[in-house]
Amino acid sequence: MVHQLLSSTENTIVHDHIALRTFDDQKVQIDALMMPLVSSGYTCKAKYTFPKTHISAQHYEHPDGSLPKVFISHLECHHFSEKFQATIETLLTQIPQNLIGQWDFFLTARPWKISFDSYETLKNENAYAAWVAAFGFRPTHFAVQTNLLEQYSELTTLNSFLKTHGFELNNTGGEIQGSPEVFLEQSSLKAAKTLVEFSDGMYPITGTYYEFAKRYSMPNGTLFNGFIPESASNLFQNTNSQAFTLDRSDAS
Ligand code: NI
């Protein structure tokens, strides 16, 4: 996989951030899930909204800058049909209460059973929700920070290297999201399909992916540590099992 490929040419690989997803339901809201990480020193640094897709997000940083930032988003479920909300509810009620608040919550297996039919019901209304229903709360992606890479700190060079080795890049909105002018550039590999267990069989679903982030210094000399909403909007779509067109005005 890509981590092995990079390790073969680079000494140090630093993770820039991990990306997590949840719903705005009280049981699994961002604050509840982030509690163990907040206890260990992470603090919320910024909030982002994506009104057209009913998603909001927050990013957290740890005082130890070598630890990855956490970008966590949630879907506002009340914008969707009653059937949709009821389906989400049947998933959330299956989560053992003692699981919430554990430090390894985001590493645990999907804490519910779901039929492929219910997955399709969700997918018809919202791809983000369907992804969480299929995979649970695992990170949607890990992002490597390219600043410290010796050979591949430039995303254009890194992208060519990856393509030469058979990796496919996500090109929704272009292979590189953002620019030095907004102090952040991002590229991501196309999310690959993986077999997911449903209560009525195994089905291939678009899964997780790897991302690369290059950060730039702001005029005050410090490295930009935030996220760019327009880039994030395009990157969200990487996990869609069906492509859809983004209304660019969502990125404001
Ligand atoms: Ni990311």
Side-chain angles (χ1 to χ4, degrees):
M1 63 175 261
V2 72
H3 197 273
Q4 282 164 332
L5 175 64
L6 275 180
S7 304
S8 67
T9 66
E10 298 284 348
N11 290 320
T12 321
I13 296 179
V14 173
H15 281 106
D16 182 83
H17 64 272
I18 62 167
L20 305 169
R21 291 180 176 181
T22 188
F23 300 106
D24 66 348
D25 183 280
Q26 208 181 352
K27 187 171 186 181
V28 292
Q29 58 175 297
I30 290 176
D31 287 348
L33 299 189
M34 285 302 295
M35 205 150 51
L37 292 174
V38 167
S39 303
S40 79
Y42 275 93
T43 50
C44 180
K45 292 289 187 182
K47 300 190 176 193
Y48 311 85
T49 52
F50 308 90
K52 287 272 164 56
T53 44
H54 310 303
I55 292 170
S56 324
Q58 299 178 195
H59 101 251
Y60 290 73
E61 292 174 32
H62 196 277
D64 176 353
S66 70
L67 292 175
K69 289 172 270 296
V70 174
F71 181 89
I72 181 167
S73 60
H74 74 195
L75 185 72
E76 296 154 6
C77 294
H78 68 270
H79 294 286
F80 300 92
S81 73
E82 280 184 24
K83 190 179 181 190
F84 178 97
Q85 294 182 52
T87 305
I88 299 290
E89 195 54 39
T90 61
L91 304 181
L92 299 183
T93 51
Q94 295 177 56
I95 305 174
Q97 191 59 51
N98 64 4
L99 201 60
I100 309 231
Q102 289 189 12
W103 70 271
D104 59 351
F105 178 79
F106 297 107
L107 304 173
T108 51
R110 185 186 74 194
W112 51 66
K113 287 189 162 54
I114 180 172
S115 67
F116 189 67
D117 201 44
S118 295
Y119 165 80
E120 292 267 271
T121 299
L122 294 175
K123 202 177 85 175
N124 286 339
E125 285 194 53
N126 185 268
Y128 175 111
W131 191 93
V132 179
F135 291 100
F137 298 94
R138 74 170 67 168
T140 58
H141 64 268
F142 290 83
V144 167
Q145 192 177 107
T146 67
N147 293 50
L148 297 173
L149 298 181
E150 283 158 26
Q151 295 187 55
Y152 299 107
S153 70
E154 291 299 332
L155 287 189
T156 44
T157 318
L158 175 65
N159 288 348
S160 317
F161 173 69
L162 294 170
K163 285 190 282 190
T164 308
H165 285 82
F167 289 97
E168 253 190 291
L169 292 165
N170 173 24
N171 53 16
T172 307
E175 282 183 1
I176 297 179
Q177 302 289 312
S179 64
E181 287 71 35
V182 296
F183 312 116
L184 175 63
E185 290 179 311
Q186 288 161 283
S187 283
S188 63
L189 296 181
K190 254 203 174 103
K193 290 205 171 196
T194 157
L195 272 183
V196 173
E197 185 181 355
F198 291 90
S199 51
D200 44 1
M202 305 284 285
Y203 293 86
I205 307 288
T206 304
T208 59
Y209 62 95
Y210 239 84
E211 186 178 286
F212 307 92
K214 174 157 191 178
R215 294 188 176 276
Y216 290 85
S217 292
M218 298 181 288
N220 69 8
T222 61
L223 207 60
F224 174 70
N225 265 336
F227 293 86
I228 307 299
E230 180 171 358
S231 305
S233 277
N234 288 330
L235 292 162
F236 274 132
Q237 296 183 57
N238 198 357
T239 55
N240 292 1
S241 282
Q242 251 170 350
F244 68 87
T245 315
L246 175 79
D247 182 341
R248 306 287 291 193
S249 64
D250 190 35
S252 58

